[in-house]
């Protein structure tokens, strides 16, 4: 028998998640104990191995009417720690009121904002190498931690189109110079060995529909002005010419090749960080576009080519770069009606986002409300002093940074948030230019285990409890507070087998 989902309020305040059920019964899942380890970075990790059980979710007990549940993950070591209680106040004129010791919050059920696409991460070559470097049993535990009902249920996967810095070498899908018809286009061994098998495993174990999108770092070297995939340079020629037509065809061939191998492509970004193609001394794969160049490529080449091959429903996302570019690029690209009809959304990266107020996202949404915003890449340990780079096992502040970014961006109309590598090694790679960073899961293949970092749990508070299709709602605090908070609801009916159908509303804060 289906178990109806109730009226929920989800409350995100940095390290904890809060929801309330008010009309019908709902069972908040319980979380098992963490095998904790401290590496001296101001927090702890949870250890998973063949011998040690991985911490995971299991079925819980149903809540009664007006009962609430709170999940807490903390620097002290809590990991989705669950407690329940009874509400003191009921709804009043469309608002749900609840209070803590110091600040009261009101959820305005009548003010609804964007629909959420989801939370996820990237299937890079590096992630595949690390996951496949451990036992098959441990591989399943790691993927389950991300994608199954026992885990945090990621719903988005990003796919680098050919190589990026988190590969072991540069490669494209067509290195035959002058092949403008892409007759020699073929996926690489990395796709067949390191990416697609893991995606198929994730699809099989997930109860949610997984959304996959591709992002290119560079064209084949023979199509780029500097003759190399890496380093500053642009696509040869101008929009509408044979190079641009061939590059658009490359996208269509990528979609078909992945579909033929069981992975449907929901969307594409036009270029990963196009500003990098103009940076002197840039070390790894990149290709430069100005806003005007990207506008014309979409309008004259990419959009028509995707439509010609029957892929007009694939979501094209412009930009895929830093926040400071968002509004001006949107003005140029979406301000052109002939281009805008081919574009579905705006892709944004988190790097240096503190230098640009999130209000630019809201301003851009108001100008172009029919085009979604999606945060498509983030990672900790990428900048600063050498001591601040790479893997810091258990560093709680990096999890805080993730939660801050998710709340801030989703509060300004972003529809989701996609992390970078699903898993890295103890160094923060492999990475062919030694651009080592951090990841929510770190694999220690030498010792046959992996570590779940604070970032994993911070993201899990969103990915687990705000499924795709949820909608953001207004939350108001009674006074100024340093707490960061955000609210959601969705309209699904939960079933005992984990499937869902559209039904009564569920509210989250």
């Amino acid at each position: 028998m289906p178990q109806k989902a109730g009226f929920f309020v989800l409350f995100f305040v940095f390290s904890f998640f809060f929801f309330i059920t008010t009309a019908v019964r709902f069972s908040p899942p319980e979380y098992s104990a963490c095998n904790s380890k401290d590496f001296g970075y101001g927090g702890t990790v949870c250890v998973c191995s063949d011998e040690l059980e991985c911490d995971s979710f299991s079925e819980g007990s149903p809540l009664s009417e007006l009962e609430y549940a709170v999940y807490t993950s903390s620097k002290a070591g809590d990991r989705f720690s669950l407690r329940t209680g009874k509400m003191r106040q009921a709804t009043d004129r469309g608002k749900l009121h609840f209070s803590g010791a110091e600040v009261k919050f009101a959820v305005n059920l009548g003010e609804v904002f964007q629909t959420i696409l989801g939370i996820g991460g990237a299937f890079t070559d590096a992630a595949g190498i690390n996951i496949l470097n451990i036992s098959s049993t441990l591989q399943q535990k790691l993927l389950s931690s991300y994608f199954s009902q026992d885990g945090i249920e990621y719903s988005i996967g990003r796919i680098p189109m050919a190589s990026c810095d988190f590969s072991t070498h540069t490669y494209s899908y067509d290195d035959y110079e002058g092949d403008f018809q892409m007759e020699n286009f073929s996926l690489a061994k990395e796709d067949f060995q390191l990416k697609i098998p893991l995606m198929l495993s994730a699809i099989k174990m997930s109860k949610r529909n997984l959304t996959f999108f591709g992002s290119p770092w560079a064209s084949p070297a023979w199509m780029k002005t500097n003759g190399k995939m890496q380093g500053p340079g642009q696509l040869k020629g101008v929009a509408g010419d044979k190079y641009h037509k061939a590059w658009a065809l490359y996208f269509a061939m990528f979609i078909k090749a992945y579909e033929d191998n069981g992975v449907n492509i929901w969307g594409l970004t036009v270029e990963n960080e196009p500003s990098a193609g103009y940076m002197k001394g840039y070390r790894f794969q990149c290709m430069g576009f100005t806003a005007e160049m990207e506008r014309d490529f979409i309008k004259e080449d990419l959009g028509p080519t995707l439509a010609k091959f029957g892929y007009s429903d694939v979501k094209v996302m412009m930009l895929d770069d830093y926040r400071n570019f968002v509004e001006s690029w949107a003005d140029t690209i979406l301000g052109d009606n002939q281009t805008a009809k081919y574009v579905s959304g705006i892709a944004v990266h988190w790097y240096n986002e503190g230098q640009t107020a999130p209000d630019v996202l809201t301003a851009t949404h108001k100008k172009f409300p029919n085009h979604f915003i999606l945060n498509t890449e983030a990672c900790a340990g990428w900048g600063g002093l050498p001591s601040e780079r790479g893997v810091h096992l258990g560093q709680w502040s990096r999890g805080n940074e993730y939660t801050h970014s998710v709340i801030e961006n989703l509060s300004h109309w972003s529809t989701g948030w996609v992390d970078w590598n699903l898993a890295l090694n103890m160094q923060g790679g492999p990475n062919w230019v030694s651009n080592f960073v951090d990841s929510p899961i770190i694999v220690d293949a030498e010792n046959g285990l992996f570590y779940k970092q604070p970032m994993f749990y911070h993201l899990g508070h969103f990915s687990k409890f705000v499924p795709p299709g949820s909608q953001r709602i207004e939350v108001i605090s009674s006074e100024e507070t340093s707490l960061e908070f955000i609210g959601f609801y969705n309209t699904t009916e939960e079933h005992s087998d984990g499937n869902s159908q559209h039904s009564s509303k569920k509210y989250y804060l």
Side-chain angles (χ1 to χ4, degrees), residues 188-225:
K189 68 180 189 299
E190 285 83 357
D191 295 274
F192 294 116
Q193 296 173 6
L194 305 176
K195 298 177 185 177
I196 292 172
L198 300 184
M199 294 177 204
L200 294 177
S201 292
I203 292 169
K204 185 176 181 180
M205 66 177 55
S206 176
K207 295 296 184 181
R208 296 175 178 174
N209 291 324
L210 299 185
T211 295
F212 295 100
F213 69 93
S215 297
W217 265 244
S219 70
W222 59 270
M223 301 177 70
K224 202 173 149 206
T225 55

Side-chain angles (χ1 to χ4, degrees), residues 164-200:
C164 65
D165 55 317
F166 281 93
S167 301
T168 58
H169 63 107
T170 61
Y171 64 87
S172 83
Y173 296 142
D174 192 337
D175 288 325
Y176 293 84
E177 186 165 359
D179 186 13
F180 294 103
Q181 299 305 313
M182 293 290 141
E183 294 177 352
N184 295 292
F185 180 99
S186 64
L187 297 180
K189 68 180 189 299
E190 285 83 357
D191 295 274
F192 294 116
Q193 296 173 6
L194 305 176
K195 298 177 185 177
I196 292 172
L198 300 184
M199 294 177 204
L200 294 177

Side-chain angles (χ1 to χ4, degrees), residues 88-364:
R88 296 179 181 177
Q89 294 176 297
T91 56
D92 177 28
R93 294 185 180 180
K95 294 184 179 180
L96 179 66
H97 300 271
F98 62 97
S99 62
E102 298 178 358
V103 182
K104 295 180 180 179
F105 295 91
V107 179
N108 185 358
L109 309 181
E111 191 67 39
V112 179
F113 304 103
Q114 78 273 26
T115 299
I116 301 303
L117 179 65
I119 305 292
F123 287 84
T124 61
D125 292 348
I129 289 168
N130 290 312
I131 294 171
L132 295 173
N133 267 347
I134 50 182
S135 71
S136 58
T137 300
L138 208 51
Q139 291 171 29
Q140 290 301 302
K141 287 183 179 181
L142 191 155
L143 290 172
S144 178
S145 293
Y146 273 128
F147 295 101
S148 79
Q149 280 190 306
D150 297 336
I152 60 175
E153 297 192 86
Y154 269 14
S155 55
I156 305 179
R158 189 185 188 203
I159 310 166
M161 291 169 58
S163 65
C164 65
D165 55 317
F166 281 93
S167 301
T168 58
H169 63 107
T170 61
Y171 64 87
S172 83
Y173 296 142
D174 192 337
D175 288 325
Y176 293 84
E177 186 165 359
D179 186 13
F180 294 103
Q181 299 305 313
M182 293 290 141
E183 294 177 352
N184 295 292
F185 180 99
S186 64
L187 297 180
K189 68 180 189 299
E190 285 83 357
D191 295 274
F192 294 116
Q193 296 173 6
L194 305 176
K195 298 177 185 177
I196 292 172
L198 300 184
M199 294 177 204
L200 294 177
S201 292
I203 292 169
K204 185 176 181 180
M205 66 177 55
S206 176
K207 295 296 184 181
R208 296 175 178 174
N209 291 324
L210 299 185
T211 295
F212 295 100
F213 69 93
S215 297
W217 265 244
S219 70
W222 59 270
M223 301 177 70
K224 202 173 149 206
T225 55
N226 69 340
K228 299 181 293 184
M229 292 186 74
Q230 69 270 27
Q234 297 78 47
L235 191 64
K236 289 179 179 178
V238 295
D241 73 3
K242 61 183 180 179
Y243 286 98
H244 286 68
K245 295 296 183 191
W247 184 228
L249 180 58
Y250 189 101
F251 282 78
M253 299 286 279
F254 166 79
I255 297 170
K256 184 179 187 304
Y258 262 75
E259 283 185 348
D260 288 346
N261 284 278
V263 178
N264 292 325
I265 301 300
W266 166 86
L268 299 164
T269 69
V270 178
E271 172 60 36
N272 175 75
E273 297 185 359
S275 62
Y278 296 94
M279 294 182 183
K280 185 177 181 180
Y282 200 82
R283 297 182 298 154
F284 53 90
Q285 295 94 319
C286 64
M287 190 163 70
F289 280 89
T290 64
E292 291 77 13
M293 290 164 60
E294 189 165 294
R295 174 197 64 199
D296 295 343
F297 171 61
I298 295 169
K299 177 169 56 178
E300 299 188 33
D301 305 295
L302 182 59
T305 297
L306 293 179
K308 175 183 176 181
F309 282 86
Y311 298 129
S312 56
D313 59 336
V314 173
K315 311 299 183 186
V316 172
M317 290 173 277
M318 53 161 281
L319 186 59
D320 207 17
D321 211 328
Y322 299 175
R323 181 191 284 174
N324 60 293
F325 295 114
V326 169
E327 190 169 10
S328 62
W329 276 58
D331 287 342
T332 297
I333 294 172
L334 301 182
D336 184 298
N337 291 333
Q338 292 303 307
T339 306
K341 68 182 181 180
Y342 294 119
V343 179
S344 296
I346 305 167
V348 190
H349 290 190
W350 92 320
Y351 310 104
N352 296 320
E353 66 182 8
Q355 298 177 12
T356 305
D359 296 343
V360 300
L361 302 181
T362 297
T364 303

Side-chain angles (χ1 to χ4, degrees), residues 301-434:
D301 305 295
L302 182 59
T305 297
L306 293 179
K308 175 183 176 181
F309 282 86
Y311 298 129
S312 56
D313 59 336
V314 173
K315 311 299 183 186
V316 172
M317 290 173 277
M318 53 161 281
L319 186 59
D320 207 17
D321 211 328
Y322 299 175
R323 181 191 284 174
N324 60 293
F325 295 114
V326 169
E327 190 169 10
S328 62
W329 276 58
D331 287 342
T332 297
I333 294 172
L334 301 182
D336 184 298
N337 291 333
Q338 292 303 307
T339 306
K341 68 182 181 180
Y342 294 119
V343 179
S344 296
I346 305 167
V348 190
H349 290 190
W350 92 320
Y351 310 104
N352 296 320
E353 66 182 8
Q355 298 177 12
T356 305
D359 296 343
V360 300
L361 302 181
T362 297
T364 303
H365 167 78
K366 288 181 178 178
K367 289 181 181 179
F368 307 104
N370 295 323
H371 293 79
F372 65 82
I373 299 170
L374 178 65
N375 287 78
T376 51
E377 185 182 314
C379 68
W382 65 276
L385 299 172
S387 61
E388 297 171 343
R389 293 183 59 87
V391 176
H392 285 188
L393 286 169
Q395 185 167 322
W396 183 258
S397 62
R398 290 183 171 180
N400 278 349
E401 291 169 3
Y402 269 32
T403 296
H404 168 77
S405 180
V406 175
I407 291 177
E408 180 177 82
N409 283 283
L410 268 59
S411 294
H412 290 83
W413 293 95
S414 177
T415 60
W417 203 92
V418 184
D419 191 35
W420 194 201
N421 301 273
L422 290 173
L424 293 175
N425 63 24
M426 296 288 281
Q427 190 176 21
N431 184 292
W432 76 271
V433 287
S434 300

